[in-house]
């Protein structure tokens, strides 16, 4: 049951449509069947978003931007010109994003039709990065903060900031499905095995991912619950993980920083 009752009392779950963009970006549409509203989460490039709209028959009403990087924003201008859609972007870096209509930050409500989302500040990859969480459907759109079995590079923030952002996402319900900005899962698994070679959940996930990729399928969405068990970047406060990188007893963010640094060199 949805915590927020609809006018007609009918439970209509959100729909999503996932598709590849650019080299290894994901595009994803979030659709409210009740009102017909559809949001593109980021806009890496216009053409694949248009193709996804054609295929689904959905009407683009909103673009929810996670951060200012070009591979998440390059398609905004063209899409907005064609669809007159609303562009929602993180307040703390909106000045670096063109065509913004509305800015948001921690705790703000964002509606896509009747779907009610909440903004979570997740800085670190960029200084103003946000994620969008839709609690009734347990869907999270996390941009380049959390990847399946990985996390984004810490470019504008520092490791402690990024760790705090990841903790916020880790605190979402275990059955939350999250959509991230890139298909990096395979390389992430190869790295994760160097940190936790004996992690059984990771080994099982590696098999599942190999099956998905060989069938030409995406490896996301993944769930927060699964990531808690197999993503080393969410496990920096697990004693065995700290031990594995030679930092037993250190603060979790330092363990996280070491894992991130190793991944940068991997
Ligand atoms: Zn990025």
């Amino acid at each position: 049951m949805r915590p927020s009752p609809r006018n007609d009392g009918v439970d209509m779950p959100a729909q999503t449509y996932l598709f590849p963009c650019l080299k290894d970006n994901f595009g994803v549409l979030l659709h409210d069947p009740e009102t017909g509203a559809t949001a593109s989460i980021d806009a890496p490039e216009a053409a694949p978003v248009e193709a996804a709209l054609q295929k689904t028959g959905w009407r683009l009403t909103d673009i929810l931007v996670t951060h200012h990087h070009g591979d998440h924003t390059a398609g905004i201008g063209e899409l907005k010109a064609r669809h007159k859609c609303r562009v929602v972007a993180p307040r703390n870096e909106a000045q670096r994003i063109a065509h913004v209509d509305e800015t948001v930050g921690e705790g703000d409500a964002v509606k896509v039709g009747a779907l009610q989302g909440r903004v979570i500040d997740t800085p670190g990859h960029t200084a103003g990065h946000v994620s969008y969480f839709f609690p009734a459907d347990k869907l999270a759109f996390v941009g380049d903060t959390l990847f399946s079995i990985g996390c984004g590079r810490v470019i504008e923030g520092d490791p402690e900031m990024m760790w705090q952002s990841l903790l916020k996402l880790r605190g979402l319900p275990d059955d939350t499905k999250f959509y991230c900005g890139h298909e990096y899962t395979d390389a992430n698994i190869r790295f994760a095995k160097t940190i936790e070679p004996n992690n059984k959940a990771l080994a099982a996930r590696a098999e599942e991912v190999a099956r998905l990729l060989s069938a030409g399928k995406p490896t996301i969405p993944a769930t927060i619950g699964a990531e808690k068990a197999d993503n080393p970047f969410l496990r920096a406060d697990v004693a065995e993980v700290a031990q594995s990188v030679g930092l037993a007893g250190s603060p979790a963010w330092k363990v996280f920083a070491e894992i991130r640094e190793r991944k940068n060199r991997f």
Side-chain angles (χ1 to χ4, degrees):
M1 289 296 291
R2 288 169 179 280
S4 51
R6 303 291 177 79
N7 291 337
D8 56 9
V10 177
D11 186 20
M12 295 186 81
Q15 293 174 269
T16 55
Y17 183 80
L18 180 70
F19 51 96
C21 287
L22 300 171
K23 180 166 155 276
D24 52 27
N25 279 72
F26 283 120
V28 60
L29 299 178
L30 171 68
H31 178 68
D32 175 26
E34 187 178 313
T35 62
T38 304
S40 177
I41 312 300
D42 292 327
E45 51 178 343
V49 177
E50 291 293 354
L53 291 166
Q54 286 278 324
K55 183 144 190 181
T56 54
W58 296 344
R59 180 176 56 91
L60 188 68
T61 51
D62 306 275
I63 300 175
L64 306 184
V65 182
T66 62
H67 67 294
H68 70 81
H69 284 160
D71 64 327
H72 293 254
T73 58
I76 293 174
E78 203 177 323
L79 290 168
K80 185 172 178 179
R82 190 165 309 147
H83 299 278
K84 315 292 179 222
C85 52
R86 173 185 67 147
V87 177
V88 177
R91 184 168 301 133
N92 293 337
E93 55 189 52
Q95 72 287 354
R96 302 178 74 173
I97 303 165
H99 313 292
V100 173
D101 297 303
E102 204 178 309
T103 65
V104 291
E106 180 75 25
D108 285 347
V110 174
K111 279 185 141 192
V112 175
L115 304 176
Q116 307 219 19
R118 168 161 67 79
V119 177
I120 305 172
D121 279 345
T122 49
H125 176 68
T126 62
H129 193 298
V130 300
S131 298
Y132 298 92
F133 177 54
F134 290 78
D137 293 284
K138 293 187 184 161
L139 295 172
F141 302 94
V142 302
D144 288 356
T145 298
L146 175 66
F147 295 128
S148 183
I149 324 293
C151 76
R153 280 178 188 267
V154 183
I155 298 173
E156 294 175 11
D158 58 42
E160 192 165 11
M161 181 191 288
M162 187 69 161
W163 171 243
Q164 291 302 328
S165 293
L166 290 171
L167 285 182
K168 284 187 188 174
L169 297 178
R170 193 177 76 173
L172 296 175
D174 277 358
D175 55 349
T176 302
K177 288 180 182 164
F178 73 91
Y179 289 81
C180 54
H182 292 271
E183 177 61 274
Y184 288 159
T185 313
D186 186 46
N188 287 343
I189 285 174
R190 277 185 277 121
F191 171 74
K193 284 178 168 174
T194 69
I195 305 293
E196 290 196 280
N198 302 317
N199 182 324
K200 289 195 174 66
L202 179 60
R205 175 77 171 137
E207 283 181 23
E208 182 197 0
V209 163
R211 269 198 306 276
L212 287 168
L213 291 175
S214 68
K217 291 181 177 164
T219 63
I220 69 161
T223 67
I224 294 294
E227 296 293 312
K228 283 181 182 176
D230 54 22
N231 184 336
F233 295 98
L234 292 188
R235 295 168 56 77
D237 53 357
V238 172
E240 298 83 68
V241 173
Q243 180 122 34
S244 157
V245 297
L247 289 172
S250 291
W253 74 266
K254 287 194 175 171
V255 177
F256 167 78
E258 172 63 20
I259 299 171
R260 188 56 258 181
E261 188 50 39
R262 289 186 185 200
K263 176 67 164 67
N264 293 346
R265 297 192 305 261
F266 184 68

